[in-house]
Amino acid sequence: MTNWPDDDVILYDGVCIFCSRWIRFVITRDSAHIFRFTPIQSDYGTRLAKAFGIDPNDPDTNAVVHGGVARMKSDAALTVLSLLPGWGWTRVLFAVPKPLRDAIYGVIARNRYRIFGKYETCFVPDSEMRARVLE
């Protein structure tokens, strides 16, 4: 786990349709506006990715910084879900061994473009999201 000065930031692949839907899912449920977002393709996102050892040209994970610590793969997804209203029950999934959780996450991550598709450029967020995007 790596430290980062900004907290509650989600790093995602901005050209990945599945990843963009994940961000929209979070925004619609994040009534307290806890999270901010950055596409890996932005300057800020690229710096963040490199700090975490993620290849910005071939990302295989999203990441979230929470409590000053970067979490990746299944830890990132479960951390975000567990902080959303009504989704706290997902904390029980941390009991599933991390290698198994990350293996399932990896299958989805490696096949996300083939299964869900890819935008030609980063998707353009609506005005509500734009206020929460770090670039």
Side-chain angles (χ1 to χ4, degrees):
M1 294 188 190
T2 305
N3 290 328
W4 187 258
D6 291 325
D7 210 18
D8 295 320
V9 176
I10 299 173
L11 174 70
Y12 69 99
D13 181 352
V15 297
C16 168
I17 292 174
F18 179 75
C19 305
S20 298
R21 287 182 183 160
W22 162 246
I23 296 305
R24 288 184 200 137
F25 173 90
V26 172
I27 285 175
T28 59
R29 288 154 182 82
D30 183 16
S31 56
H33 293 234
I34 295 170
F35 295 105
R36 293 174 295 157
F37 312 89
T38 186
I40 200 165
Q41 292 81 6
S42 71
D43 290 340
Y44 180 88
T46 297
R47 286 195 323 271
L48 188 62
K50 287 179 179 178
F52 299 159
I54 299 169
D55 180 354
N57 298 313
D58 188 24
D60 66 348
T61 181
N62 78 79
V64 64
V65 179
H66 179 69
V69 177
R71 293 168 175 86
M72 291 180 252
K73 300 190 179 190
S74 65
D75 284 344
L78 290 177
T79 296
V80 171
L81 283 173
S82 70
L83 293 168
L84 296 175
W87 288 82
W89 63 268
T90 59
R91 286 182 189 93
V92 302
L93 297 174
F94 280 110
V96 175
K98 183 174 172 48
L100 177 59
R101 287 188 282 120
D102 281 351
I104 293 167
Y105 182 98
V107 168
I108 295 168
R110 281 189 304 277
N111 294 292
R112 69 191 185 280
Y113 295 148
R114 188 171 52 80
I115 296 169
F116 300 102
K118 182 177 177 180
Y119 295 119
E120 291 299 315
T121 60
C122 276
F123 89 100
V124 178
D126 61 23
S127 59
E128 178 186 353
M129 183 179 172
R130 191 164 307 182
R132 297 169 66 185
V133 172
L134 301 170
E135 296 189 273

